[in-house]
Structure formats: C-alpha cells, structure tokens
Amino acid sequence: MRPETLVRDHTIYACVMGSRAFGLATDGSDTDRRGVYLAPTPLFWRFDKPPTHVEGPAPEQFSWELERFCELALRANPNILECLHSPLVEYADGTGRELLDLRGAFLSRRVHETFTRYAHGQRRKLDADVRTHGAPRWKHAMHLLRLLTSARDLLRTGTLTVDVGDRREALLAVKRGEVPWSEVGSRMARLVEEGEEAARRSPLPQEPDRRRVEDFLVRTRRASALQPGPYDEVVQGVVGGGGVGQG
C-alpha cells in the first residue's frame, strides 16, 4: 500500500493548522493541513511496516499514523497537541471523534518542559539572527510569543486554546517589525516567568493518562484487524485466539 493511499483511504482526522488555525492568517498565508491515518492492522504483520508519517500528497499536507501520533501527544509535543485542538477540523470519522474525545488524556504538566524547551531553541535562533543580521525573523518572533502565551494559559487553566483571539493585532504588529526587539524580548522573558509560576499551580495532572490512550489504540487496532479484507482467515484465527494453522 503506497503512502498516499494510506492518507487518501484511511485518514481518521484532518484539520487546518498554522496561521489560519492560530487566527493570524493574512492574504498571503498558506493553508497547512495536518491529519492522522489508521494503517490497516494486517500491514503490521509484514516485515515492511507502514510509515509512521506521510508528507503530502497535497501541498502543505502532513499526516501521522495513529500510534505515532499518540506517542508524540503523550510526550506533550507542542505541534501534536495543537493539532488535536485545532478550531478548523475538516474531517473526523468515528475513530477520529474518539481521538478528539481523548484530548484531555494527553495533557499533563509535561507541557511545561516540552513547550519551554522548544521555545528556548527558537529563542536561540532569534538571538543568532539579531547578532548576524541586526534583526530577528519577525514572523518567527511572533509565533514564539504566541507559543509562550499558549503554554502559560494551558498551565493556568488546563485548557489548550489555539486561536489567539484578541491578541491578533498585537502579534501581527510584531510580525511586521513594528515592535522593538528589546520589547519583544522582554515580553518573552515575562511569559517564561509566568509559565514557570503557572506550572507550580497548574490543575493539570503530573502525567498523561497513558492507559486510557493505550486502551483506545488496542481497541482500534483490533477493530481494524476484523475488517473484511484479503487476510480474513488469518485474522479470524489470530484475533479469535485459535492461532495460525490450527483446525
């Protein structure tokens, strides 16, 4: 089965991300599409396993296989968690809706570490741009402010909100280079401090609900294995507990 076929025929969840989901789109903004596909269970019985992710087939499109997506979400990967909370959902079948219902199971205080680590990496790149070119890449500075704000608010409230809402114009002013770098840097430092304070008082649990997510994954894999297909006899023997080759 070709990678593009997995995306075309087995996507369970699809959404729009990037500036359009953040509420920061302008006339020239791309449409970034993200998705989750469920590779048919029999494909995992081969030596060559299905891919953990697929780029395309459409421009600006990227998808993850369900298990890989869940692994990254349990690790509090910022991009994955935001994908789960996109306000622009384009498609969700029954399994996709179950995944969305699990959003809270992936959230934990781990977000403080992962969001902060990502933010520190981006800040180092911005500082390097200032040293080399005299100014940062303002678009990246805008998105770092957005991410730090999102992380602080998530830790404070236990809810991840992707759309920036009434902060749109202030952030776009940063993107246009209308705010001095010194002020932008001060905002970033303040958000980091507020995030640290929020982490100490956060209503989020210390760890994600791994068991709940794993139960969902196992049920989904089992249901996929029982779907009619070219492996019917083998599937019924394995899933039914009879073993392969037993009469």
Side-chain angles (χ1 to χ4, degrees):
M1 185 174 291
R2 294 183 299 179
E4 59 269 25
T5 304
L6 287 169
V7 174
R8 186 192 66 209
D9 295 345
H10 299 283
T11 289
I12 63 169
Y13 172 67
C15 67
V16 173
M17 282 305 301
S19 293
R20 297 194 182 280
F22 301 143
L24 293 168
T26 58
D27 291 342
S29 296
D30 293 328
T31 300
D32 299 321
R33 288 186 163 85
R34 299 293 179 264
V36 181
Y37 59 89
L38 174 63
T41 299
L43 293 182
F44 290 92
W45 301 338
R46 301 173 176 177
F47 286 123
D48 294 325
K49 307 301 181 187
T52 59
H53 60 269
V54 175
E55 187 169 355
E60 310 299 333
Q61 182 181 16
F62 193 95
S63 302
W64 296 267
E65 207 283 323
L66 177 61
E67 183 173 343
R68 178 59 173 167
F69 186 86
C70 288
E71 287 176 345
L72 293 172
L74 287 168
R75 297 176 194 171
N77 179 289
N79 292 324
I80 298 294
L81 291 181
E82 289 185 333
C83 182
L84 265 179
H85 291 78
S86 172
L88 302 177
V89 175
E90 292 192 313
Y91 175 76
D93 65 6
T95 306
R97 290 191 293 273
E98 277 198 72
L99 177 63
L100 291 177
D101 287 341
L102 280 173
R103 284 181 291 196
F106 294 106
L107 296 178
S108 71
R109 295 192 186 191
R110 288 186 181 185
V111 300
H112 180 239
E113 177 187 355
T114 56
F115 277 62
T116 300
R117 184 169 63 239
Y118 181 82
H120 283 165
Q122 294 302 304
R123 178 61 191 267
R124 287 194 294 270
K125 292 178 182 179
L126 292 169
D127 287 336
D129 286 339
V130 172
R131 290 192 299 269
T132 304
H133 306 293
R137 282 179 258 191
W138 292 109
K139 179 180 178 180
H140 292 183
M142 174 192 71
H143 280 298
L144 181 49
L145 282 171
R146 181 203 62 78
L147 181 73
L148 288 169
T149 303
S150 179
R152 179 203 62 187
D153 292 348
L154 169 57
L155 288 163
R156 282 178 174 176
T157 67
T159 300
L160 179 56
T161 302
V162 172
D163 193 301
V164 301
D166 59 8
R167 294 189 294 270
R168 170 183 164 87
E169 292 307 319
L171 287 168
L172 288 177
V174 172
K175 180 182 179 182
R176 294 190 295 265
E178 297 171 359
V179 183
W181 172 239
S182 58
E183 182 178 338
V184 173
S186 296
R187 290 186 195 175
M188 291 177 180
R190 184 168 62 253
L191 286 167
V192 169
E193 291 178 2
E194 292 173 353
E196 291 173 351
E197 175 63 23
R200 289 191 286 270
R201 303 171 180 268
S202 180
L204 291 173
Q206 289 290 342
E207 298 293 332
D209 194 341
R210 182 182 178 90
R211 175 170 292 183
R212 185 179 168 201
V213 175
E214 189 170 55
D215 286 346
F216 160 70
L217 181 63
V218 171
R219 283 191 294 103
T220 302
R221 289 274 191 249
R222 184 179 292 117
S224 172
L226 292 172
Q227 290 295 312
Y231 304 92
D232 285 350
E233 291 183 6
V234 174
V235 169
Q236 294 299 331
V238 173
V239 178
V244 178
Q246 294 186 13

